[in-house]
Amino acid sequence: MQAHRPAVFAALLGLTRAGSAIGDFWVQSDFCARVKGASDDHPVTYEDPKTEKKKVHGTADGRKACLQHCLTYTATQAIVAGLGARALGIRVHPAAAAIALAMSFGTHYAADRRVPGEGLLEKLATKTGKGGFYKLADYGLNGAFHLDSAWHHGWETVAALIATTGAKTR
């Protein structure tokens, strides 16, 4: 397996990246996308597109929406990576896969719980001199989105490295 480990890593990284994009942009509900950063200090008003009813959401709803998103996101990654690995003849060790998915879930929740002024990514951006970029929402760019994506890509790389531990080819 050692000679094939770089290829297994590349395959798993590509699969988890694809699962991430599908989970973030196709599977995530509009409700979760809008409410996951809500807090009591920074409530979010969500208008149901079907009923046109508006409801104000605080901390508890924000946490639930973020949790629901991270569960569907991680499940999507697991399905895409699992089916892809099977199709490629890669046997991922169950413990390594579980650790990689748990890390993906946890780091995704930490990044996506973007409470204004309190979110992890905003704090990191500010401490590293990227606060202005984080707040940028002009010229066709959204700094928070790009820093969020870079955060996820970095952790997906670590997760793919973990998932290659004990992986075998058929």
Side-chain angles (χ1 to χ4, degrees):
M1 168 57 198
Q2 290 296 31
H4 300 291
R5 191 164 185 207
V8 170
F9 164 74
L12 291 175
L13 179 58
L15 292 165
T16 58
R17 177 82 290 273
S20 172
I22 294 165
D24 248 353
F25 304 121
W26 286 100
V27 176
Q28 179 176 206
S29 71
D30 181 61
F31 176 81
C32 288
R34 294 177 187 268
V35 175
K36 65 187 176 186
S39 71
D40 294 340
D41 292 334
H42 299 280
V44 171
T45 301
Y46 180 77
E47 182 178 341
D48 186 303
K50 292 180 183 172
T51 65
E52 296 183 355
K53 281 187 159 184
K54 292 182 180 181
K55 183 178 177 189
V56 177
H57 299 275
T59 301
D61 291 337
R63 288 177 179 155
K64 286 180 198 172
C66 195
L67 178 64
Q68 181 181 352
H69 164 55
C70 290
L71 288 170
T72 60
Y73 167 91
T74 306
T76 303
Q77 276 190 316
I79 291 166
V80 171
L83 291 175
R86 183 164 180 80
L88 293 171
I90 300 168
R91 291 185 186 183
V92 179
H93 191 280
I99 291 167
L101 289 168
M103 189 190 63
S104 180
F105 174 90
T107 58
H108 201 86
Y109 185 93
D112 276 23
R113 193 68 185 108
R114 283 191 245 170
V115 177
E118 299 175 29
L120 174 67
L121 288 184
E122 185 177 359
K123 286 181 179 180
L124 283 172
T126 300
K127 286 184 181 186
T128 59
K130 297 288 183 191
F133 182 67
Y134 181 87
K135 293 176 183 173
L136 177 65
D138 206 350
Y139 309 105
L141 291 174
N142 180 304
F145 171 80
H146 285 291
L147 290 173
D148 176 270
S149 291
W151 170 269
H152 296 319
H153 288 232
W155 285 110
E156 287 158 9
T157 302
V158 175
L161 284 169
I162 292 169
T164 62
T165 304
K168 298 186 179 353
T169 54
R170 294 180 206 175

